[in-house]
Amino acid sequence: MTRAAEGDKEGEAYGVDAGGEGASGPRLHSAAKIAGSDRAPDHQARVRMSYDAVTDAYVDRVHGELRHKPLDRALLIAFAEQLRAEFGDSPSVCDAGCGPGHVGAFLASLGLAVTGIDLSPAMVARATALHPALSFEVGSMTALAARDGRWQGAIAFYSIIHLTSDAEVRAALSEFHRTLAGRGLLLVAVHLGEQGDATVHADEMLGVAVDMEFRFFDLERLTSDISAAGFDVVARLVRSPYPDVEVQTSRAYVLARRIEEAPRRDSRGPTRET
């Protein structure tokens, strides 16, 4: 099978909402295998503008989604309990790619001090309006505007799916390592690809015109990247999608603990055969 044919099959397999957790979403096309470089230099700008455009529809679709996802809630509860047990009351957490802030709000209800970060100013404004007691900032997870050791925990719930190059993924994981304190915890959730790592392009999402890519991950490769960034992977889990609640893709969750010193890399950075 050619790469183009693999891409077409990938797009068909994910026919609804590749980027979010709603039950219907973007129209997909032009799938491509990851080759270690981005499709376009303005990738993050396109993601920002797309989510600015789709904010209203996206909030309507996903803001109450955790009510229908018992396993996601259970993992977030376990994450919060472990942080409180190890760091005391109100451990600080970064919700990277926070969207409308619903996941961060759930964690805050469990006693965590949450800061939400998102590329989209419109999404941050909506999160602030919906959850005025929490802190939200516009920013990029590949270059966090935070001091070293700022947080005890970090989550990236279906947000690194917009990091479509290997370099972006490495940059985000490096930033999580840098901004986590001591042996802080990282919880990542992604969609899995049926043919391994792949991207699909969306030009429509929830009836709104967009222009961005979504990445579907290979779990072994993602786990390896997290370990290489200076984390000890302590748990990982795969689940099937909830019918009529979300896009029908398999989901993977990785819980990892920060190692005190990240592995040294040479000046060329890591390499991988493609």
Side-chain angles (χ1 to χ4, degrees):
M1 181 182 292
T2 65
R3 285 191 173 187
E6 285 181 347
D8 291 341
K9 185 175 180 181
E10 198 88 31
E12 292 170 2
Y14 302 129
V16 293
D17 195 16
E21 290 74 78
S24 63
R27 184 168 70 248
L28 310 176
H29 64 85
S30 302
K33 299 300 286 184
I34 296 292
S37 62
D38 214 338
R39 291 169 58 101
D42 61 344
H43 170 62
Q44 288 200 13
R46 290 187 292 109
V47 171
R48 178 184 299 109
M49 289 186 292
S50 293
Y51 274 105
D52 280 349
V54 80
T55 292
D56 289 343
Y58 189 85
V59 172
D60 289 344
R61 174 68 69 180
V62 311
H63 191 257
E65 64 170 358
L66 284 176
R67 293 196 305 269
H68 310 291
K69 298 186 175 186
L71 187 57
D72 291 50
R73 295 197 309 271
L75 290 171
L76 291 168
I77 290 169
F79 177 74
E81 288 183 352
Q82 191 162 351
L83 282 175
R84 292 199 313 270
E86 297 184 14
F87 293 99
D89 293 339
S90 300
S92 59
V93 172
C94 174
D95 179 4
C98 64
H102 57 301
V103 176
F106 184 77
L107 290 174
S109 74
L110 301 172
L112 306 189
V114 180
T115 300
I117 309 290
D118 202 277
L119 269 177
S120 164
M123 202 70 78
V124 167
R126 182 59 65 86
T128 300
L130 288 167
H131 309 287
L134 303 186
S135 174
F136 298 97
E137 303 171 4
V138 176
S140 170
M141 69 183 77
T142 61
L144 291 167
R147 60 176 171 78
D148 294 1
R150 167 67 177 81
W151 295 292
Q152 281 81 54
I155 65 166
F157 249 43
Y158 307 107
S159 54
I160 69 169
I161 62 172
H162 292 299
L163 305 181
T164 53
S165 73
D166 293 341
E168 283 184 299
V169 172
R170 289 194 297 265
L173 293 174
S174 177
E175 282 292 85
F176 294 149
H177 186 276
R178 180 184 67 79
T179 56
L180 279 174
R183 290 170 54 78
L185 294 176
L186 171 67
L187 179 61
V188 175
V190 298
H191 301 273
L192 295 181
E194 292 189 355
Q195 283 82 44
D197 263 21
T199 58
V200 292
H201 182 265
D203 57 18
E204 182 182 322
M205 182 176 182
L206 299 173
V208 178
V210 297
D211 177 20
M212 57 182 169
E213 286 76 44
F214 302 87
R215 183 170 185 163
F216 298 88
F217 283 83
D218 175 84
L219 181 55
E220 295 299 330
R221 183 168 171 178
L222 176 61
T223 301
S224 177
D225 285 342
I226 291 173
S227 296
F231 291 91
D232 178 22
V233 173
V234 296
R236 52 186 208 168
L237 182 148
V238 174
R239 73 161 171 86
S240 299
Y242 291 113
D244 304 320
V245 172
E246 59 191 2
V247 56
Q248 297 300 285
T249 61
S250 296
R251 310 300 176 99
Y253 306 84
V254 180
L255 177 66
R257 182 180 299 282
R258 182 186 184 276
I259 300 172
E260 287 294 341
E261 295 295 331
R264 292 185 178 273
R265 302 181 187 271
D266 64 30
S267 60
R268 296 169 297 173
T271 60
R272 179 188 289 120
E273 294 182 1
T274 57

